Amino acid sequence: MATLVLTVIGNDKSGLVDALAEPIATHGGSWDRSHMARVAGQFAGLIVVSVPDDQVAGLTARFDALNAQGLLDVQVVIASTTNEEDDSSLMSLQLIGQDRPGIIREISAALASRDVSILELETATTSAPMSAEPLFHARATLRIPPGLDEDGLRDALEDIANEMMVDLEFGESSPTSAG
């Protein structure tokens, strides 16, 4: 079986999920995992599909047809077969604070400089209850490389949070929530 990662985007309208599900099922594929949402009037998503090796070309051709029809832009990548680091640990991070440019840049730079991988990242901007000022929310699952000083990482991120005047919370994350 081949594992495919699909990225999809198109104008939001009914029937888009079915336009993806039908060819996957027709080619003997299994819809393993997905995250889809309406974002700024667009339907966007990530989908992981398992399909028999001999069906990859046919399924990819069906997605090319969706692209040609202008219904959805579907990009297909065959997933790597390399295993994740088994001895690394996972950490969850939640951030909330007044919205301003550069929040993700500051946090991601601190993580990248320590070889910490972001496995999942979800962000949103909402209105503060009393003031209606924009609040930025971020939730991430991080893969911590073996041997990294987690307390030092927390301290560095808390220093950044203090400078930006945002609140951070850390926790442990289970492998099932990140995989």
Side-chain angles (χ1 to χ4, degrees):
M1 295 286 275
T3 301
L4 307 179
V5 177
L6 314 177
T7 58
V8 300
I9 191 164
N11 291 326
D12 188 29
K13 63 181 183 177
S14 63
L16 296 180
V17 173
D18 186 52
L20 295 164
E22 188 277 327
I24 292 168
T26 299
H27 287 84
S30 175
W31 187 297
D32 296 336
R33 184 173 181 213
S34 64
H35 182 80
M36 296 183 247
R38 183 175 194 272
V39 181
Q42 297 290 302
F43 174 77
L46 293 168
I47 306 161
V48 178
V49 174
S50 298
V51 65
D53 291 330
D54 62 351
Q55 296 292 314
V56 171
L59 180 56
T60 301
R62 291 283 304 274
F63 292 141
D64 289 342
L66 288 176
N67 291 346
Q69 294 168 9
L71 184 63
L72 278 170
D73 180 9
V74 181
Q75 300 298 313
V76 180
V77 175
I78 297 176
S80 168
T81 58
T82 59
N83 292 331
E84 299 283 337
E85 294 180 40
D86 292 331
D87 53 351
S88 59
S89 60
L90 301 180
M91 177 189 292
S92 67
L93 172 103
Q94 291 192 43
L95 175 147
I96 187 169
Q98 191 170 22
D99 189 29
R100 71 167 190 80
I103 294 174
I104 291 297
R105 171 66 183 119
E106 294 291 326
I107 297 294
S108 65
L111 296 173
S113 71
R114 291 165 177 82
D115 293 323
V116 174
S117 296
I118 300 173
L119 299 180
E120 292 188 65
L121 174 64
E122 187 174 334
T123 66
T125 304
T126 61
S127 294
M130 299 293 263
S131 66
E133 291 185 28
L135 286 179
F136 183 76
H137 302 262
R139 186 174 65 222
T141 301
L142 311 175
R143 182 177 299 281
I144 309 301
L148 182 73
D149 175 17
E150 289 187 33
D151 290 334
L153 173 63
R154 283 184 174 99
D155 290 346
L157 293 174
E158 286 172 353
D159 288 346
I160 293 168
N162 288 337
E163 287 177 27
M164 294 187 300
M165 296 174 36
V166 298
D167 293 324
L168 279 181
E169 288 184 29
F170 301 96
E172 290 187 23
S173 187
S174 66
T176 55
S177 68

